[in-house]
């Protein structure tokens, strides 16, 4: 006997009730989603407000507690600086050993700007100075300023002279470059190819080696024709005695003694191949701010010559053996110093972003400049900012303008004539070195339009 299945169709009122219950459930879900959306918006808005309050409080703390100089209008740059702030006192007195073809002109520019912005005096030569000076003597110093805070010009290093003319508690530093790379750069920049004409750059270098019996260099003779600022130039810049080395009965010991003395003399040695990292290390050790170490590339050659033959490279290394010993020694000490610095690579990443943004703000193009190098064309905003235009000024012009301004032996009647020598709109002129405002922070200006809130 089969079971009988029955199906009772719902009544109209039952269907209506089911529909209303489903609709109510859907409306409840939509209300919850709406509340969640409002909640997410409220959380996001509150977070933005908290970030804004944090930055405002950071600027307040800086202006009240910071041990380093704070700008009249602390802003984004000050907030970033606070992220990496350490209790320290900014270095007031600095001796920089300017080495050839190592990026040292960029370092000198940094120190010239640091002096101008923070009201530190430079140890200068009499107007007009010359890059040809090798020996430091009192007679060459600028009239009316026998002592100063900073020295950052080319000269063979003389520790006793400099420490007697730079105020006490000074720190000494320099920068070195891989010697083979330094030789190639110097050979090109100082136009040695004109003295040794050949079809290629490399053939010109080979001709240089063949021309003067360089096989006797540092074995029988310390003289090397046309080697100035080219061969073992960084060792000579740091005061190495070539004649004493050649005449020494134990040359290895002579070199070892020099490296040991150099380690005691220089508080910090930077490395060109790690230029930005070197600047951040300098910032930390000398208690500087990000704005102090900003830079624009200068004297960078448009046409970069190369050498490929292993024999030529080996010959260069053989002649550069003093600089190679110097470089290898201080490259090792550089990395030991970096290893001591916690968080330095995070700070490096921030600095590189800041510097790139500032470069974009200051520069709008380039042209051919001094001795076949790139010259920056400043933006209209860059020409109105001291840091931008000072960063873009060649060191020698920068120094001569300061000499003309500060040397009491320069007649004021000569100033109009001197001013006529400095009219490049992308470099400092005499009026700007005397009157231009130095307080406007270029990092704040560069980031001004990148944030909704003006901190």
């Amino acid at each position: 006997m089969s079971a009988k299945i029955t199906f009772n169709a719902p009544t109209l009122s039952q269907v209506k009730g089911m529909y209303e219950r489903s609709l109510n459930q859907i409306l409840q879900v939509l209300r919850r989603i709406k509340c969640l959306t409002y909640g997410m918006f409220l959380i996001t808005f509150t977070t933005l407000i908290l970030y804004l309050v944090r930055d405002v409080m950071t600027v307040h703390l800086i202006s009240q507690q910071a041990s380093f100089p704070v700008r009249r209008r602390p802003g984004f740059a000050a907030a970033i600086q606070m992220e990496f702030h350490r209790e320290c006192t900014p270095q007031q007195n600095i001796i920089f050993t300017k080495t050839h073809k190592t990026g040292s002109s960029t370092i000198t520019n940094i120190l010239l700007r640091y002096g101008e912005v923070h009201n530190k005096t430079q140890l200068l030569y009499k107007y007009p100075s010359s890059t040809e000076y090798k020996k430091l003597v009192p007679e060459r110093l600028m009239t009316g300023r026998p002592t100063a805070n900073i020295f950052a010009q080319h000269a063979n290093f003389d520790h006793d002279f400099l420490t007697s003319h730079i105020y006490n508690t000074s720190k000494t530093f320099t920068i070195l470059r891989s010697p083979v790379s330094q030789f190639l750069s110097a050979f090109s920049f100082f136009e040695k190819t004109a003295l040794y004409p050949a079809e290629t750059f490399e053939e010109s270098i080979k001709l240089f080696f063949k021309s003067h019996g360089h096989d006797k260099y540092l074995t029988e003779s310390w003289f090397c024709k046309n080697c100035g600022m080219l061969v073992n130039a960084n060792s000579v810049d740091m005061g190495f005695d070539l004649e004493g080395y050649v005449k020494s009965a134990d040359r290895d010991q002579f070199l070892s003694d020099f490296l040991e003395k150099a380690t005691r003399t220089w508080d910090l040695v930077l490395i060109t191949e790690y230029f930005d990292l070197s600047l951040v290390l300098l910032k930390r050790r000398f208690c500087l701010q990000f704005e102090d170490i900003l830079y624009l590339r200068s004297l960078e050659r448009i046409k970069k010559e190369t050498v490929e033959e292993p024999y030529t490279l080996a010959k260069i290394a053989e002649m550069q053996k003093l600089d190679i010993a110097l470089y290898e020694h201080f490259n090792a000490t550089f990395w030991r110093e970096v290893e001591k610095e916690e968080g330095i690579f995070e700070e490096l990443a921030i600095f590189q972003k800041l510097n790139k943004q500032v470069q974009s703000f200051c520069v709008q193009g380039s042209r051919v400049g001094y001795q076949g190098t790139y010259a920056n064309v400043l933006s209209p905003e860059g020409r109105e900012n001291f840091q931008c235009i000072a960063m873009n000024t060649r060191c020698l012009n920068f120094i001569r303008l300061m000499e003309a301004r500060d040397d009491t032996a320069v007649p004021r009647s000569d100033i109009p004539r001197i001013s006529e020598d400095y009219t490049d709109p992308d470099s400092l002129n005499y009026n700007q070195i005397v009157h231009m405002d130095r307080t406007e922070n270029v990092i704040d200006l560069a980031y001004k339009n990148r944030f909704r809130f003006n901190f």
Side-chain angles (χ1 to χ4, degrees):
M1 183 176 179
S2 60
K4 186 176 181 181
I5 300 174
T6 60
F7 175 76
N8 296 321
T11 63
L12 183 61
S13 61
Q14 290 175 325
V15 171
K16 184 178 179 181
M18 292 170 59
Y19 173 77
E20 289 177 348
R21 285 194 296 274
S22 298
L23 182 61
N24 287 333
Q25 291 175 351
I26 292 172
L27 289 174
Q28 288 177 9
V29 170
L30 290 175
R31 290 191 190 99
R32 290 172 183 168
I33 292 174
K34 186 175 181 180
C35 289
L36 182 62
T37 301
Y38 281 134
M40 291 298 294
F41 173 79
L42 184 61
I43 290 171
T44 302
F45 181 77
T46 303
T47 301
L48 289 174
I49 293 298
L50 289 174
Y51 273 118
L52 177 60
V53 171
R54 183 203 68 174
D55 288 325
V56 170
M57 290 302 296
T58 297
V59 172
H60 175 71
L61 286 172
I62 289 172
S63 63
Q64 296 297 318
Q65 302 175 6
S67 61
F68 49 82
V70 179
R71 297 289 175 151
R72 204 167 51 206
R73 298 185 307 102
F76 176 73
I80 290 293
Q81 178 69 21
M82 193 63 179
E83 293 289 330
F84 298 95
H85 172 58
R86 300 188 301 177
E87 292 297 330
C88 58
T89 301
Q91 184 61 37
Q92 305 294 316
N93 306 313
I94 299 169
I95 297 172
F96 175 56
T97 306
K98 195 172 190 294
T99 48
H100 286 87
K101 301 312 297 172
T102 58
S104 64
S105 291
T106 300
I107 303 290
T108 291
N109 184 280
I110 286 172
L111 293 175
L112 296 178
R113 288 186 287 116
Y114 181 74
E116 288 295 293
V117 171
H118 297 283
N119 197 29
K120 305 301 175 190
T121 56
Q122 305 278 344
L123 188 64
L124 301 171
Y125 299 129
K126 293 178 180 178
Y127 179 86
S129 63
S130 170
T131 57
E132 301 304 314
Y133 292 158
K134 302 297 181 187
K135 186 174 178 59
L136 289 165
V137 293
E139 293 76 20
R140 286 180 176 155
L141 294 181
M142 186 174 67
T143 307
R145 186 181 293 169
T147 53
N149 299 108
I150 299 171
F151 180 76
Q153 299 191 61
H154 272 306
N156 290 353
F157 184 73
D158 185 333
H159 184 261
D160 292 338
F161 180 92
L162 288 171
T163 52
S164 66
H165 290 276
I166 296 295
Y167 297 126
N168 292 334
T169 68
S170 63
K171 284 192 174 182
T172 303
F173 79 106
T174 189
I175 183 168
L176 298 175
R177 180 178 182 178
S178 175
V180 173
S181 173
Q182 188 273 341
F183 177 95
L184 297 175
S185 177
F187 199 92
S188 175
F189 183 81
F190 296 118
E191 299 181 334
K192 300 294 185 180
T193 51
L195 299 175
Y196 306 96
E199 291 185 2
T200 66
F201 180 71
E202 186 162 353
E203 290 299 321
S204 181
I205 291 176
K206 290 179 180 179
L207 191 58
F208 164 76
F209 289 138
K210 294 176 183 178
S211 298
H212 306 297
H214 288 148
D215 55 313
K216 297 181 180 180
Y217 176 63
L218 296 183
T219 56
E220 301 177 24
S221 173
W222 58 90
F223 175 74
C224 178
K225 186 175 181 180
N226 294 326
C227 289
M229 302 178 292
L230 180 65
V231 178
N232 294 312
N234 291 171
S235 296
V236 174
D237 289 332
M238 294 176 70
F240 188 82
D241 181 4
L242 294 176
E243 181 179 354
Y245 173 79
V246 173
K247 290 182 176 180
S248 174
D250 189 342
R251 291 171 183 164
D252 290 340
Q253 187 61 48
F254 189 95
L255 178 57
S256 178
D257 291 344
F258 173 76
L259 294 176
E260 183 180 342
K261 182 180 179 181
T263 303
R264 296 193 306 268
T265 301
W266 280 270
D267 298 286
L268 182 64
V269 177
L270 311 181
I271 300 296
T272 305
E273 283 70 23
Y274 313 102
F275 193 77
D276 286 354
L277 180 60
S278 291
L279 290 180
V280 175
L281 183 61
L282 177 70
K283 172 183 176 293
R284 288 183 167 212
R285 294 300 172 84
F286 285 23
C287 196
L288 308 178
Q289 300 184 59
F290 277 121
E291 189 183 19
D292 296 326
I293 61 171
L294 296 170
Y295 69 93
L296 301 178
R297 295 196 178 277
S298 64
L299 300 182
E300 188 174 291
R301 295 192 71 79
I302 297 171
K303 182 181 180 182
K304 296 186 177 180
E305 306 285 3
T306 59
V307 170
E308 298 179 355
E309 290 187 21
Y311 169 82
T312 308
L313 295 172
K315 187 66 176 175
I316 294 171
E318 180 184 346
M319 291 198 72
Q320 290 276 71
K321 65 179 183 179
L322 298 178
D323 272 9
I324 286 177
L326 185 70
Y327 179 83
E328 289 178 347
H329 174 80
F330 280 110
N331 186 48
T333 65
F334 172 80
W335 286 108
R336 286 197 292 270
E337 295 303 313
V338 169
E339 288 172 359
K340 298 176 184 177
E341 299 291 333
E342 182 180 354
I344 192 171
F345 289 100
E346 289 80 0
E347 189 168 355
L348 169 64
I350 294 296
F351 167 64
Q352 289 176 325
K353 290 179 181 179
L354 292 174
N355 202 53
K356 184 177 180 181
Q357 183 65 25
V358 168
Q359 289 176 352
S360 298
F361 171 80
C362 292
V363 178
Q364 68 177 6
S366 63
R367 55 183 171 82
V368 178
Y370 178 71
Q371 290 192 209
T373 59
Y374 283 108
N376 296 309
V377 176
L378 298 182
S379 65
E381 298 82 6
R383 290 177 177 176
E384 296 299 320
N385 177 265
F386 178 81
Q387 286 283 16
C388 287
I389 201 164
M391 279 191 283
N392 202 49
T393 301
R394 282 185 59 215
C395 290
L396 185 58
N397 289 352
F398 201 151
I399 289 167
R400 285 181 175 173
L401 284 168
M402 288 192 295
E403 290 167 350
R405 178 192 64 191
D406 299 341
D407 193 337
T408 57
V410 175
R412 297 301 92 184
S413 58
D414 287 354
I415 295 303
R417 176 186 57 79
I418 292 173
S419 299
E420 293 175 0
D421 295 332
Y422 305 96
T423 56
D424 181 356
D426 295 315
S427 297
L428 286 169
N429 58 43
Y430 185 82
N431 183 65
Q432 289 168 329
I433 200 70
V434 174
H435 299 296
M436 198 170 192
D437 178 34
R438 281 114 164 104
T439 62
E440 207 165 31
N441 193 302
V442 69
I443 296 177
D444 287 345
L445 294 175
Y447 278 87
K448 183 177 180 180
N449 297 321
R450 296 199 60 177
F451 300 96
R452 173 175 293 182
F453 304 107
N454 185 13
F455 299 134

